[in-house]
Amino acid sequence: MKTMLPNYENNVANVSNSILKYFNIETSHSTLNELDDILNKHNYKNVVLVLFDGLGYNILKRNGKLCPFLNKYLVSSLSSTFPSTTMSARTSIESGLHPIEHGWLGWDMYFKEFDEVITLSRNCVKSTKEKITDYHIGRTLLKYESVVDKIKKDKDCYAKKISVYHDDRNMSLKKARMQIQEILENDKRNYIYFYCNQPDHNFHTFGNDSILSKMLLRKLDKEFKKLCTSLNDTLVIAIADHGHLACKYITLTDYPNIIEMLEGDIGIDVRAASFRVKEEYMSIFPGELKMILKDDFIILSKDEVREQKLYGEGEENKYFEDALGDYFAIGITDKCIRYDRKKHTQKSSHSGITEDEMLVPLVVYEVIGGKGE
C-alpha cells in the first residue's frame, strides 16, 4: 500500500484559510493557491463548503459511475491531517488550525487531570458510558473560534453551520439543501459550512465497497448536484476529512506482556494508537510491540512525532503533551489496534497514513449569475 505523510501546504486546513482570506479575515496558516485563484475570478456573494465525512479521493475516483457530478467537478486531491480521522481533520477544517494548535488529536484523548482516556465525541470514558464531568470536556477544554464565528463578526456577512447525521430525524439532505437555499436569498455575503456524517457511518458499518454504501454514494452525488444547481452567484466547495480502508483488528489483551507494560488504555485512534508506558519498560517497549505489530505499523516515539511535525505547526495546545503518550503505532497496511474486546470492530476504518486514508478530494462548482446546469 502507498503511504504519505500529511502535507500542511496542500491540506484541508488550507481550504479554510482560503475562505477566511476571501472574507478579508486574518488567516492562521497558508492558503490554497488553486482555490484562491478560483475565488478571485469572481466576487461571489455566497461561498458554501460541503464536508462529506469519509469520502476519500481514491474512493470517489473508483466510483466515477456512481458519482458522475462530483467527479466532473473534481479539481485535485488534498492531504488530510494526522491522524486521518474526524476529530482532528474536521476540527482543522472548522477552525483553520493545525491539530497541534486546536488540540483535538484523535477520537480518544488522554487527559492527565482526569487520568482517563476520553472519547471526545461522546464525552465519556473510552469504551464506557461514564461521564466524568457535567460539562463537555472537548468543547470546554479544547475550545476554539471557528471560521463561521469569525465571519459572523462582520455585520455585512452571514455565516452558519448546518449538519446532517445519519440518525437525525429532524434533518435530512433535502431539508439541509432547502435551508441553504433560503439562507442565501438574503442581501449579505454568506458563508455556509455544511457537514454530512456520511458516507463515513455507512463505510464503518457495512464496508466501503458494500451495496448499501454504493447506493449511498449515488444518493450523495445526486443531492450534491441538486444543491449546486439550485443556487445563484455561489461558489460551492466539497471536500472530505479523510478516506477509508477495509480493515482487520489486533487485540492487545491477547498479549499480556504488552498490557503489563502500559499505564492504561491506548488513545488517539485505531490506526494511530498512542501508548502510555510504565517507566521501567520504556526502553524495551518498542521492540516488544514490534514483535506483535510486525510490518503493519511504524512505531515512533512522541519525540519523533514532534520532530516530523505530524500534527502540524503552531503553538502547542495545553493538552497536547499529555495526550501524545510515549509511543505511537501508525497504520501502513490494513490492520487496526484495539485495547480489548470491549472496543467493537468496524468493517472499514481510517487514521493511518495510507493514501486511501490520507487523500481527500477538492471539488469546486461555480455559479456566476444565474443557476447552474
Side-chain angles (χ1 to χ4, degrees):
M1 292 182 179
K2 290 184 178 180
T3 61
M4 60 175 285
L5 296 177
N7 178 358
Y8 288 100
E9 295 301 318
N10 184 49
N11 191 266
V12 291
N14 301 123
V15 172
S16 303
N17 281 282
S18 283
I19 291 169
L20 287 171
K21 181 180 178 181
Y22 182 71
F23 282 91
N24 298 313
I25 297 170
E26 183 180 359
T27 60
S28 305
H29 291 284
S30 60
T31 59
L32 194 65
N33 290 335
E34 61 187 329
L35 184 55
D36 290 340
D37 291 342
I38 295 170
L39 284 163
N40 290 333
K41 283 196 314 185
H42 179 73
N43 185 28
Y44 297 96
K45 177 178 178 289
N46 311 307
V47 176
V48 177
L49 176 63
V50 180
L51 172 57
F52 290 117
D53 197 325
L55 184 57
Y57 177 83
N58 288 349
I59 289 173
L60 184 59
K61 292 287 285 183
R62 283 202 306 267
N63 291 280
K65 291 183 179 180
L66 298 175
C67 302
F69 191 79
L70 282 161
N71 273 280
K72 181 178 180 179
Y73 294 97
L74 178 63
V75 173
S76 64
S77 63
L78 303 172
S79 164
S80 182
T81 60
F82 176 83
S84 51
T85 194
T86 300
M87 290 297 104
S88 299
R90 185 180 69 186
T91 308
S92 285
I93 292 165
E94 294 182 356
S95 66
L97 301 173
H98 292 175
I100 192 173
E101 297 171 300
H102 60 62
W104 294 70
L105 303 187
W107 191 253
D108 304 304
M109 264 183 68
Y110 175 73
F111 287 85
K112 188 174 182 179
E113 60 193 271
F114 306 117
D115 195 26
E116 292 285 2
V117 177
I118 306 296
T119 299
L120 292 176
S121 67
R122 298 177 184 136
N123 199 37
C124 293
V125 175
K126 182 183 170 187
S127 301
T128 76
K129 295 182 179 180
E130 178 189 350
K131 296 187 185 296
I132 295 179
T133 64
D134 58 1
Y135 60 84
H136 193 285
I137 291 172
R139 292 182 198 138
T140 304
L141 302 185
L142 303 175
K143 191 174 181 180
Y144 58 89
E145 186 176 24
S146 70
V147 173
V148 166
D149 289 337
K150 289 179 180 180
I151 294 174
K152 281 167 67 174
K153 289 179 179 179
D154 187 332
K155 62 180 177 59
D156 295 321
C157 297
Y158 180 84
K160 185 177 178 63
K161 175 182 177 180
I162 297 172
S163 299
V164 169
Y165 291 90
H166 71 279
D167 56 355
D168 184 354
R169 295 181 180 180
N170 296 316
M171 181 60 80
S172 64
L173 290 168
K174 181 179 179 180
K175 287 181 180 178
R177 171 166 51 85
M178 294 174 68
Q179 188 175 340
I180 292 170
Q181 291 168 348
E182 183 178 351
I183 290 170
L184 298 186
E185 291 298 321
N186 66 36
D187 58 359
K188 296 189 174 186
R189 298 180 73 209
N190 297 287
Y191 171 62
I192 304 295
Y193 164 57
F194 173 31
Y195 169 75
C196 176
N197 85 325
Q198 294 283 25
D200 182 74
H201 174 75
N202 269 36
F203 286 174
H204 280 306
T205 307
F206 306 112
N208 59 68
D209 283 325
S210 68
I211 293 175
L212 287 174
S213 291
K214 288 184 178 297
M215 290 171 61
L216 175 64
L217 288 175
R218 188 189 297 276
K219 178 180 179 181
L220 292 177
D221 188 76
K222 288 181 177 179
E223 288 294 335
F224 182 69
K225 180 177 181 179
K226 287 178 183 177
L227 170 65
C228 289
T229 56
S230 69
L231 304 177
N232 297 302
D233 199 5
T234 303
L235 185 72
V236 185
I237 306 161
I239 59 175
D241 47 356
H242 54 76
H244 256 267
L245 186 73
C247 59
K248 303 169 186 175
Y249 281 77
I250 296 168
T251 305
L252 292 181
T253 49
D254 292 344
Y255 306 92
N257 63 315
I258 293 294
I259 296 298
E260 171 61 28
M261 298 181 191
L262 298 179
E263 289 284 5
D265 207 338
I266 58 177
I268 307 300
D269 219 312
V270 293
R271 289 180 47 74
S274 167
F275 300 83
R276 292 174 293 118
V277 180
K278 295 174 182 175
E279 187 64 35
E280 61 268 32
Y281 298 115
M282 202 69 75
S283 62
I284 66 169
F285 180 76
E288 294 293 317
L289 187 63
K290 178 69 175 176
M291 291 175 65
I292 294 169
L293 303 184
K294 300 183 173 58
D295 294 326
D296 293 311
F297 291 80
I298 58 172
I299 299 171
L300 300 178
S301 68
K302 69 176 179 181
D303 290 335
E304 289 172 318
V305 170
R306 268 206 177 99
E307 289 165 8
Q308 295 187 34
K309 299 182 179 178
L310 295 185
Y311 276 104
E313 297 185 272
E315 183 178 350
E316 280 191 12
N317 186 277
K318 176 181 177 181
Y319 299 94
F320 180 74
E321 170 76 20
D322 293 335
L324 276 189
D326 300 301
Y327 289 97
F328 264 78
I330 303 172
I332 56 174
T333 64
D334 64 346
K335 298 295 192 302
C336 296
I337 301 172
R338 60 177 178 170
Y339 184 83
D340 57 28
R341 297 183 189 278
K342 293 179 185 177
K343 176 76 173 178
H344 69 280
T345 61
Q346 297 171 322
K347 292 190 175 181
S348 183
S349 198
H350 49 84
S351 71
I353 56 171
T354 68
E355 285 190 354
D356 278 353
E357 299 161 280
M358 288 295 299
L359 282 178
V360 300
L362 174 65
V363 176
V364 179
Y365 184 84
E366 304 173 72
V367 187
I368 300 174
K371 294 182 180 179
E373 67 174 39

